[in-house]
């Protein structure tokens, strides 16, 4: 019958695209806007894994319940407490930002999840998650995670200028968007700088942290850089449009992929959604935040965005609005084509 779904024999977790985020402190709203952007544009079902401080759990549940059913039926979610399986929990908590180290433990905690996309709370999806999820199929036999470079240009990159520990490649990688094959991570023996033989992911984390803790600045991201420095064959590097940050435009445009294809995932690090340093980033955040779920995407999201961008042309990022708009435009067109086809198809039957 029209409108009925065939139930496949696969458990829902296999059909799901798994998305994990770690939220502490004042990151509730940011996390909800990130999840909203994921749901707005994605096609396949989503499974959210939200790691949050206990005080935030009722808030998350309340807010997610308020979303209209046409959207809540597109995802399921679990909220987990913050836990660290090895070493000293207080020490892990103090590493960089509160709770950020939690992401290092996802392979250990989410034992039944095969693959996962981890994102920071300050990320916005400008196209379906389905598109980054497909990258898992591009992994070769040794790759088990994917991240984007920290910078495109070594001479202005942070790691290449300041790092006091080993890091991946010429500029290091940024861990704000990280695609992981958790099964492979759990089954791999990693080369390391501590013992001649390999260590499992879980065995390696705490000793590695102990060895380098006086040299790391960016917490868990630095640890990931150290791990992939010793195991470069395990990392798939995806282009900068999948983790587009203010650094990619605030000194002039230096992300070729975004110029060609548009920004796929926006990463508003350095708090740019909440101050006036990068109005282009803030405009995107506010428009997605204020978008009424059931409204017309062009009318209530795309057009307000275009007019807000006009106020940002005095900034270097604001001079390239097409870079920010290209994927959104493409995605919205697809959403409408699908709806029209479904609508026509439904009418055609009667």
């Amino acid at each position: 019958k029209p409108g009925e779904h065939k139930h496949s024999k696969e458990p829902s977790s296999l059909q799901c695209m798994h998305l994990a985020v770690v939220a502490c402190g004042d990151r509730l709203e940011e996390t909800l806007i990130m999840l909203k952007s994921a749901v707005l544009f994605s096609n396949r079902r989503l499974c959210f894994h939200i790691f949050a401080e206990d005080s935030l759990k009722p808030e998350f549940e309340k807010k997610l319940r308020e979303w209209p059913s046409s959207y809540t039926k597109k995802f399921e979610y679990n909220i987990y407490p913050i836990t660290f399986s090895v070493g000293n929990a207080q020490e892990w908590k103090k590493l960089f930002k509160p709770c950020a180290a939690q992401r290092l433990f996802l392979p250990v905690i989410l034992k039944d999840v095969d693959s996962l996309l981890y994102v920071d709370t300050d990320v916005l999806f400008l196209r379906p998650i389905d598109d980054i999820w497909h990258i898992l199929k591009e992994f070769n036999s040794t790759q088990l995670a994917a991240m984007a470079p920290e910078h495109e240009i070594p001479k202005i990159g942070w790691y290449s200028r300041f790092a006091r520990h080993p890091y991946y490649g010429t500029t290091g990688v940024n861990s704000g968007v990280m695609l992981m094959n958790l099964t492979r991570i759990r089954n791999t023996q990693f080369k390391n700088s501590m013992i001649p033989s390999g260590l499992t992911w879980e065995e390696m984390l705490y000793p590695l942290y102990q060895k380098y803790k006086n040299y790391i600045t960016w917490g868990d991201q630095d640890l990931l850089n150290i791990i992939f420095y010793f195991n470069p064959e395990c990392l798939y590097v995806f282009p900068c449009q999948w983790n587009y940050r203010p650094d990619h435009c605030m000194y002039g445009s230096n992300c070729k992929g975004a110029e060609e294809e548009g920004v796929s995932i926006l990463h508003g690090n350095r708090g740019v959604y909440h101050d006036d340093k990068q109005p282009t980033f803030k405009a995107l955040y506010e428009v997605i935040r204020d978008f009424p779920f059931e409204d017309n995407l062009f009318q209530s999201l795309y057009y307000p965005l275009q007019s807000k961008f006009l106020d940002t042309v005095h900034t270097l990022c604001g001079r390239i609005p097409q870079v920010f708009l290209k994927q959104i435009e493409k995605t919205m067109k697809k959403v409408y084509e699908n709806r029209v086809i479904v609508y026509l198809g439904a009418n055609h039957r009667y």
Side-chain angles (χ1 to χ4, degrees):
K1 284 177 194 167
E4 267 192 3
H5 292 289
K6 280 189 181 145
H7 288 289
S8 132
K9 293 203 169 75
E10 285 186 295
S12 70
S13 67
L14 285 175
Q15 301 164 336
C16 251
M17 298 182 293
H18 293 269
L19 179 68
V21 64
V22 180
C24 284
D26 57 1
R27 297 299 182 107
L28 177 84
E29 181 193 74
E30 219 173 59
T31 307
L32 286 162
I33 310 306
M34 179 277 290
L35 297 173
K36 182 179 184 180
S37 72
V39 174
L40 278 180
F41 297 135
S42 291
N43 304 314
R44 256 173 75 187
R45 187 168 180 75
L46 292 158
C47 287
F48 295 146
H49 302 274
I50 303 165
F51 290 81
E53 288 171 307
D54 298 343
S55 57
L56 294 181
K57 186 178 177 180
E59 279 298 294
F60 269 114
E61 288 174 335
K62 177 175 171 284
K63 294 285 185 202
L64 290 169
R65 271 200 302 271
E66 289 168 5
W67 288 8
S69 63
S70 56
Y71 284 93
T72 54
K73 67 171 192 252
K74 289 174 71 177
F75 67 89
E76 54 195 71
Y77 70 90
N78 277 306
I79 300 176
Y80 308 81
I82 303 288
T83 48
F84 304 101
S85 61
V86 288
N88 175 331
Q90 284 320 107
E91 237 179 325
W92 285 120
K93 267 196 174 136
K94 289 203 286 276
L95 179 66
F96 194 43
K97 292 188 175 132
C99 318
Q102 180 71 69
R103 93 178 82 186
L104 298 171
F105 295 90
L106 298 175
V108 183
I109 298 167
L110 300 173
K111 285 187 169 38
D112 300 330
V113 176
D114 174 61
S115 294
L116 178 82
L117 176 63
Y118 164 87
V119 293
D120 284 348
T121 58
D122 51 10
V123 154
L124 291 168
F125 294 95
L126 305 187
R127 69 191 277 184
I129 288 187
D130 310 59
D131 299 339
I132 191 169
W133 196 253
H134 288 315
I135 293 177
L136 286 163
K137 292 193 170 60
E138 293 175 25
F139 284 14
N140 67 21
S141 61
T142 60
Q143 288 165 337
L144 44 75
M147 287 186 271
E150 172 64 26
H151 220 286
E152 306 309 298
I153 305 163
K155 67 172 184 281
I156 52 175
W158 195 90
Y159 283 106
S160 32
R161 289 185 299 160
F162 304 118
R164 294 162 59 210
H165 58 75
Y167 56 88
Y168 178 88
T170 53
T171 59
V173 279
N174 182 285
S175 60
V177 179
M178 186 175 177
L179 192 59
M180 296 183 259
N181 182 322
L182 298 183
T183 305
R184 283 188 180 180
I185 290 175
R186 287 186 284 263
N187 294 337
T188 297
Q189 294 281 321
F190 290 88
K191 296 191 287 292
N192 61 84
S193 58
M194 293 158 304
I195 60 166
S197 58
L199 288 170
T200 67
W201 186 264
E202 192 173 13
E203 289 167 340
M204 174 176 60
L205 287 179
Y206 194 61
L208 200 64
Y209 165 62
Q210 287 300 330
K211 178 168 181 176
Y212 290 103
K213 66 179 177 187
N214 297 326
Y215 305 102
I216 56 185
T217 307
W218 305 113
D220 48 312
Q221 176 170 296
D222 290 349
L223 283 176
L224 290 164
N225 267 286
I226 295 165
I227 291 168
F228 290 111
Y229 168 84
F230 290 108
N231 300 272
E233 71 289 351
C234 293
L235 190 67
Y236 177 107
V237 178
F238 50 64
C240 45
Q241 67 265 30
W242 292 104
N243 185 348
Y244 190 90
R245 304 180 300 283
D247 284 8
H248 287 121
C249 53
M250 61 196 266
Y251 312 112
S253 182
N254 63 36
C255 173
K256 290 279 172 283
E259 286 170 38
E260 286 156 23
E261 291 182 33
V263 174
S264 297
I265 295 180
L266 192 75
H267 183 183
N269 62 347
R270 306 169 186 243
V272 292
Y273 297 148
H274 313 293
D275 61 28
D276 295 314
K277 291 195 182 95
Q278 296 300 336
T280 322
F281 282 74
K282 190 180 185 183
L284 264 155
Y285 178 78
E286 289 178 346
V287 164
I288 293 174
R289 178 192 68 195
D290 300 340
F291 173 70
F293 270 105
E294 310 270 46
D295 272 25
N296 175 299
L297 279 165
F298 275 104
Q299 226 168 328
S300 305
L301 195 141
Y302 190 67
Y303 298 133
L305 201 50
Q306 280 186 315
S307 62
K308 271 186 186 246
F309 275 0
L310 292 175
D311 301 331
T312 73
V313 290
H314 61 286
T315 66
L316 280 169
C317 296
R319 284 185 200 168
I320 45 170
Q322 70 288 355
V323 165
F324 295 91
L325 290 167
K326 200 176 253 182
Q327 280 300 335
I328 292 194
E329 197 175 339
K330 209 165 145 183
T331 300
M332 286 197 286
K333 283 189 175 138
K334 273 201 190 125
V335 169
Y336 281 108
E337 279 163 16
N338 291 346
R339 277 190 199 160
V340 167
I341 290 163
V342 168
Y343 176 75
L344 287 174
N347 281 350
H348 187 65
R349 290 194 178 93
Y350 301 108

